[in-house]
Amino acid sequence: MATPNSQNRWRQKNHLVKRQLNVMARKFVHDTLEEVAETNGLRGKGEAVTFSTFVVMALGQHATINPEAKRLLDIYREAYMKDRDIYAP
């Protein structure tokens, strides 16, 4: 774990563009993030979260002009909401 001084230096250096996100998640979410990182040539779970966010944003934007993308996004959203307790901490 980083020392308080090094954490403060990081925060001061990056306060305009980055914030640390500490999230409790189930083990399989961590395992899946590691798999996403490995499969897509990413640098770890943090970048896998960023990539996943990018993909969801892109799918949402694409859904505004493509009915098939909208249909898929609706299916994924509905499936997640139905089983939310399995995925969310």
Side-chain angles (χ1 to χ4, degrees):
M1 179 162 235
T3 66
N5 282 342
S6 63
Q7 288 176 345
N8 286 333
R9 278 195 311 272
W10 184 90
R11 287 186 186 105
Q12 288 171 353
K13 176 183 170 189
N14 295 295
H15 76 280
L16 295 176
V17 294
K18 295 182 180 181
R19 287 186 289 177
Q20 188 166 349
L21 177 65
N22 294 324
V23 178
M24 291 294 291
R26 297 185 186 275
K27 182 183 181 321
F28 86 92
V29 172
H30 284 274
D31 295 343
T32 302
L33 287 171
E34 288 175 358
E35 183 181 331
V36 167
E38 185 177 318
T39 303
N40 294 286
L42 306 173
R43 292 178 293 210
K45 292 189 293 185
E47 194 172 10
V49 170
T50 302
F51 176 72
S52 300
T53 302
F54 170 80
V55 170
V56 170
M57 287 174 29
L59 184 57
Q61 290 173 354
H62 199 63
T64 63
I65 58 172
N66 184 318
E68 181 62 13
K70 182 177 180 351
R71 186 182 75 80
L72 288 172
L73 184 57
D74 290 343
I75 289 170
Y76 300 148
R77 186 181 295 124
E78 184 179 321
Y80 175 80
M81 293 301 188
K82 186 177 85 172
D83 296 330
R84 185 182 222 162
D85 293 338
I86 294 171
Y87 302 108

